[in-house]
């Protein structure tokens, strides 16, 4: 019998994980995947552009929740997804990543007795000041099947008491999208007027951009770096709302980019500075040095095996990491199962979970 699977996402970093998964599940006769878009992100540049670039089908359900405080956004998603679960009665609800849409859908499904599958389970920054850490802890604690991108995720889950039979290391769906689209992205005309090397910056974490002092400490470091290396900075809407004053001419601001344009920009960069989780992974897969503008990471494999370095968030810390990078750019290796075939391993794990 075909099993209906609700695949839920809502924010930009969810879409590159859902695209390969929904495609793979749709190719398996035992599954009927139904895409649910919560509408947490809604601007074309944060959502529609990703659907087009990734060749995703229109969602079966679009919940249009929009922005709000964490409580309002999470509650709205819960209110609007409950009737969808009631009418569709899926065999499982699949959630990805660590955004508010992830935890909201997981809570609703778990309380309705619908099995919850969390893709990208077990990652821990051990920093509960990060909203995503709360989302990860809650989602994992109520999930029935925990699909993991790196060994640290499995270790964390087992330490927290998850039964080993429910934890499967499947690899990284985001890298499936990267592998599938890299050639196409590289064939795009360059987005920059750079004639030589350049760096790319992204920043959107509330801890980095919401406080003017913190934001300006980071900008000061970027300013100094941009004296010797031009920096391209696609600006997230949260960050755009907080940018004021003039930046050094070496920092070129761009609108948020679609998936292929960003991949094209990033794949030609000599270094990336970011506070994103996904970009730490993508740079490791591309072999491009990454300086992470945070005090911690929930993705330690990008440091242990990949090209990532923690730079912190102070001006001095970032500049020290920058100098270290100039002295010795990190050369990493690609972690196990970050090979473009994670969707197939997710689908295999779902078949064993739902049919045996
Ligand atoms: C969310 C996720 C974060 C993820 C990030 C990727 C949570 C708690 N956070 O953060 O984990 O890394 O997405 O981008 O789920 N806005 C727009 N257009 C949009 C969406 C948002 O203008 O399409 C603006 C709104 O002013 C909104 C603000 O950006 O208030 C922040 O959006 P929100 O979804 O609350 O959080 P993000 O910072 O995007």
């Amino acid at each position: 019998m075909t099993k209906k699977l609700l695949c839920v996402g809502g924010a930009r970093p969810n879409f590159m994980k859902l695209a390969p998964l929904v495609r793979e599940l749709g190719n398996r006769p035992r599954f009927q995947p139904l895409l649910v878009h919560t509408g947490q992100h809604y601007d074309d540049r944060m959502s529609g552009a990703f659907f087009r670039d990734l060749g995703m089908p229109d969602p079966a359900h679009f919940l249009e929740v929009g922005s709000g405080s964490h409580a309002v956004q999470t509650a709205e998603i819960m209110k609007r997804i409950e009737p969808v679960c009631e009418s569709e009665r899926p065999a499982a609800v699949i959630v990805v990543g660590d955004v508010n849409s992830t935890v909201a859908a997981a809570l609703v499904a778990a309380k309705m007795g619908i099995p919850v599958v969390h893709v990208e389970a077990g990652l821990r920054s051990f920093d509960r000041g990060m909203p995503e850490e709360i989302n990860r802890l809650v989602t994992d604690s109520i999930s029935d099947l925990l699909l993991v991108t790196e060994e640290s995720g499995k270790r964390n889950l087992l330490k927290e008491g998850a039964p080993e039979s429910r934890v499967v290391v499947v690899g990284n769906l985001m890298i499936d999208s990267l592998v599938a689209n890299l050639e196409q992205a590289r064939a795009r005309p360059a987005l920059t007027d750079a004639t030589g090397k350049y760096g790319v910056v992204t920043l959107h974490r509330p801890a980095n951009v919401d406080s003017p002092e913190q934001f300006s400490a980071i900008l000061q470091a970027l300013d100094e770096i941009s004296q010797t290396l031009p920096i391209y900075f696609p600006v997230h809407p949260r960050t755009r709302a907080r940018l004021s004053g003039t930046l050094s001419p070496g920092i070129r601001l761009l609108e948020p980019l679609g998936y292929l344009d960003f991949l094209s920009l990033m794949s030609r960069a000599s270094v990336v500075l970011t506070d994103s989780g996904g970009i730490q992974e993508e740079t490791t897969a591309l072999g491009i040095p990454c300086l992470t503008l945070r005090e911690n990471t929930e993705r330690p494999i990008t440091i242990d095996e990949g090209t990532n370095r923690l730079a912190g968030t102070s001006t001095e810390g970032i500049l020290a990491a920058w100098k270290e990078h100039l002295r010795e750019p990190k050369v990493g290796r690609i972690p196990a199962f970050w090979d473009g075939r994670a969707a197939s391993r997710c689908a295999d794990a779902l078949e064993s979970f739902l049919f045996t």
Side-chain angles (χ1 to χ4, degrees):
M1 201 187 82
T2 305
K3 303 252 190 207
K4 210 185 260 186
L5 301 171
L6 282 196
C7 303
V8 185
R12 184 168 64 175
N14 296 156
F15 306 132
M16 44 292 230
K17 296 163 199 167
L18 285 173
L21 182 62
V22 169
R23 188 168 300 124
E24 175 70 25
L25 295 174
N27 287 337
R28 301 216 178 183
R30 291 169 124 184
F31 294 131
Q32 183 196 357
L34 286 182
L35 189 57
V36 180
H37 187 328
T38 64
Q40 175 173 346
H41 285 172
Y42 42 86
D43 283 348
D44 189 65
R45 286 196 167 104
M46 302 293 286
S47 170
F50 285 78
F51 272 67
R52 290 193 296 279
D53 280 359
L54 293 161
M56 292 172 80
D58 284 341
H61 298 275
F62 186 51
L63 308 182
E64 297 184 76
V65 297
S67 299
S69 69
H70 284 272
V72 166
Q73 191 172 58
T74 308
E76 260 328 303
I77 299 167
M78 291 179 70
K79 272 164 67 182
R80 296 184 194 199
I81 207 166
E82 186 178 46
V84 175
C85 291
E86 252 154 23
S87 63
E88 297 287 3
R89 282 276 145 204
V93 168
I94 303 176
V95 295
V96 297
D98 55 17
V99 302
N100 288 342
S101 301
T102 312
V103 69
L107 272 167
V108 170
K111 290 202 174 183
M112 293 176 75
I114 302 169
V116 178
V117 180
H118 185 203
V119 178
E120 204 183 272
L123 297 181
R124 297 288 181 268
S125 65
F126 303 101
D127 171 6
R128 292 196 184 189
M130 239 182 131
E132 292 81 0
E133 183 75 352
I134 307 290
N135 293 345
R136 290 188 281 259
L137 284 162
V138 173
T139 304
D140 285 340
S141 69
I142 54 175
S143 289
D144 299 281
L145 178 63
L146 298 146
L147 303 179
V148 175
T149 51
E150 58 167 90
E151 285 295 333
S152 78
K154 182 168 179 177
R155 280 196 302 276
N156 294 332
L157 290 166
L158 297 183
K159 253 189 242 158
E160 288 168 16
E164 192 160 5
S165 58
R166 296 291 171 92
V167 182
V168 187
V169 181
V170 291
N172 197 323
L173 280 176
M174 185 172 252
I175 306 307
D176 284 20
S177 280
L178 185 144
V179 168
N181 290 287
L182 186 56
E183 205 178 311
Q184 201 192 339
R186 281 196 169 134
R188 298 201 143 202
L191 277 163
T192 70
D193 46 9
T195 47
K197 290 185 172 184
Y198 67 83
V200 170
V201 169
T202 80
L203 277 174
H204 75 284
R205 298 245 156 253
N208 280 345
V209 303
D210 283 0
S211 130
E213 294 74 36
Q214 179 54 67
F215 193 17
S216 108
I218 294 176
L219 289 176
Q220 219 178 305
L222 297 179
D223 199 278
E224 188 159 335
I225 293 167
S226 73
Q227 310 293 325
T228 51
L229 183 75
I231 283 178
Y232 290 87
F233 183 2
V235 189
H236 185 283
R238 172 190 284 282
T239 310
R240 172 72 71 179
R242 288 152 181 82
L243 262 181
S244 59
T246 46
L247 297 175
S248 105
I251 304 179
R252 325 273 166 85
L253 301 185
L254 304 172
E255 292 300 318
L257 299 175
Y259 182 70
L260 292 172
D261 278 340
F262 186 72
L263 187 51
S264 160
L265 179 75
M266 176 167 61
S267 69
R268 296 174 220 224
S270 61
V271 61
V272 176
L273 298 99
T274 188
D275 63 6
S276 151
I279 294 172
Q280 296 172 50
E281 300 183 331
E282 289 170 332
T283 44
T284 275
L286 291 166
I288 295 173
C290 177
L291 301 188
T292 292
L293 307 179
R294 288 175 43 191
E295 305 296 343
N296 51 52
T297 179
E298 61 287 336
R299 293 158 158 93
I301 204 166
T302 59
I303 293 180
D304 299 341
E305 294 188 16
T307 54
N308 192 15
R309 223 188 270 269
L310 272 188
T313 57
S314 68
T315 312
E316 306 71 44
I318 298 168
L319 291 175
W322 169 247
K323 284 180 193 133
E324 237 177 83
H325 155 72
L326 291 178
R327 268 198 307 278
E328 202 181 340
K330 260 190 108 173
V331 184
R333 62 171 185 270
I334 297 180
F337 291 167
W338 292 23
D339 56 359
R341 299 207 309 273
S344 163
R345 287 187 287 267
C346 286
D348 290 346
L350 276 160
E351 291 205 0
S352 336
F353 175 64
L354 290 170
F355 290 96
T356 50

